[in-house]
Amino acid sequence: MKFIKAKSILTSNGGTGINPYRGCTHGCIYCDSRSTCYHTPLPFEDIEVKENAVELLDSALKAKRKKIMVGTGAMCDPYMPCEKELLITRGCLEVIRNHGFGATVHTKSSLVLRDFDILKNINLHTKAVLQMTLTTADDSLCKKIEPNVCATSERFSVLMEAKKEGIPTVVWLSPFLPYINDTRENISSLLEMCASAGVKGLVVFGIGLTLRDGNRQYFYRCLDENFPGLRDKYIRQFGSSYEVGSPNSDSLYQMIKKFCTEKGIMYRPRDTFSYLAEFQQRDPQRTLF
């Protein structure tokens, strides 16, 4: 871990996203953020901590003339174990709350429960949304493909707690790795979890994953360790393709579409992203009753 002084904190494409950390220790075998095109730390687990993130965000939001939704975790999880002591993500949420902006946090970690007090407070005045990634309903499989983060059952408990506390949620159902977690049974179980937790919407970019230089090599090493022989099958079937799709992608996506239509859950990415980006100013009088 190394501490750096960042020059800016809001992303350049519209200025709505922040990443307090670069790199990640979750160890997810499929992580696209390992791709060399992002110039993330090498090794990826050697986290860069933006020690001045809170101060930068405070200055950036003071300069904003229009209130917006500010999102965390687009590249690297804001709730890695180091956040427990460093409190940088929490500090950023406090700044967002203090300036009256909306917030979304995207994580795989149950550590986000610690900051539910801030998310609930933001929701009194505008909108705070918890985004959670789910890939497999099988906790034992989860530990193979996402080894250093809490299991799916624990993430589901977080979603249920968010429902109880009135914090809206969005679930990323991705990625689905061909011949590993791209089964009808797995996706059906995940959908039932989402319905039980009352999620507002899903983010599903098809049934598959992306592989490019950097994350492809790491992914294949992990396949050799956990799924012997599958690497050769991938190479034969997908070669060096960037998009690696499940053989049953179409039918599985139709299953998701049908389920979400019946349950009233957003499933088109454009709809879910529009919801996440929509800043809402609540009537302060209504919060009194």
Side-chain angles (χ1 to χ4, degrees):
M1 184 187 301
K2 51 192 173 187
F3 293 81
I4 64 168
K5 292 282 188 181
K7 295 181 179 179
S8 62
I9 190 65
L10 286 174
T11 53
S12 57
N13 57 341
T16 62
I18 61 173
N19 285 295
Y21 304 100
R22 296 181 77 243
C24 189
T25 56
H26 286 343
C28 303
I29 71 173
Y30 51 74
C31 184
D32 180 65
S33 295
R34 289 182 182 273
S35 301
T36 56
C37 63
Y38 296 126
H39 306 290
T40 44
L42 292 174
F44 190 59
E45 292 75 15
D46 187 14
I47 302 165
E48 288 182 0
V49 179
K50 298 178 183 178
E51 60 182 345
N52 58 336
V54 176
E55 293 79 11
L56 287 173
L57 184 61
D58 186 55
S59 297
L61 295 190
K62 281 180 182 176
K64 285 281 186 184
R65 300 181 62 182
K66 182 179 179 182
K67 296 290 197 301
I68 58 172
M69 297 291 292
V70 180
T72 70
M75 282 287 293
C76 303
D77 200 307
Y79 286 102
M80 290 178 286
C82 62
E83 167 62 19
K84 187 173 182 180
E85 303 297 331
L86 295 175
L87 302 172
I88 294 178
T89 297
R90 183 174 176 85
C92 288
L93 288 176
E94 289 173 337
V95 167
I96 292 169
R97 176 199 61 197
N98 294 344
H99 287 291
F101 283 69
T104 71
V105 293
H106 186 185
T107 185
K108 295 187 182 87
S109 173
S110 60
L111 180 56
V112 70
L113 286 167
R114 180 201 64 190
D115 294 342
F116 269 22
D117 60 329
I118 304 178
L119 297 179
K120 287 170 61 179
N121 190 263
I122 292 172
N123 263 321
L124 289 176
H125 308 285
T126 175
K127 185 173 71 178
V129 184
L130 169 63
Q131 301 180 70
M132 184 72 74
T133 296
L134 302 179
T135 59
T136 174
D138 182 342
D139 280 358
S140 60
L141 178 58
C142 179
K143 283 304 178 183
K144 289 184 178 181
I145 65 177
E146 299 160 341
N148 303 324
V149 68
C150 66
T152 303
S153 58
E154 192 172 348
R155 291 179 227 171
F156 175 60
S157 295
V158 174
L159 290 170
M160 294 299 289
E161 186 66 19
K163 179 182 179 181
K164 175 184 173 183
E165 297 292 345
I167 300 170
T169 54
V170 162
V171 165
W172 289 61
L173 287 183
S174 66
F176 292 112
L177 317 178
Y179 311 112
I180 296 177
N181 65 331
D182 63 332
T183 67
R184 193 174 188 87
E185 295 75 19
N186 178 52
I187 295 176
S188 178
S189 295
L190 292 174
L191 289 171
E192 291 293 345
M193 289 182 183
C194 292
S196 297
V199 303
K200 297 286 187 180
L202 305 180
V203 177
V204 186
F205 290 116
I207 313 300
L209 78 157
T210 57
L211 291 177
R212 49 188 159 189
D213 191 52
N215 78 313
R216 177 184 286 107
Q217 292 86 339
Y218 184 81
F219 178 70
Y220 280 167
R221 287 201 300 272
C222 292
L223 288 187
D224 287 341
E225 293 173 8
N226 296 292
F227 308 96
L230 193 52
R231 170 182 180 157
D232 292 338
K233 189 172 185 177
Y234 266 70
I235 292 172
R236 289 195 305 270
Q237 183 165 346
F238 305 113
S240 58
S241 298
Y242 166 60
E243 294 185 356
V244 177
S246 167
N248 301 313
S249 179
D250 290 343
S251 63
L252 291 171
Y253 186 77
Q254 288 304 313
M255 181 183 74
I256 293 172
K257 178 179 177 180
K258 181 176 184 293
F259 183 93
C260 291
T261 300
E262 292 174 352
K263 300 293 184 180
I265 300 172
M266 293 179 287
Y267 66 91
R268 297 182 182 91
R270 66 175 182 271
D271 295 334
T272 304
F273 286 136
S274 292
Y275 167 73
L276 290 169
E278 179 189 11
F279 177 81
Q280 298 175 352
Q281 188 71 57
R282 303 193 193 281
D283 182 352
Q285 294 298 317
R286 296 185 63 184
T287 64
L288 297 177
F289 303 96

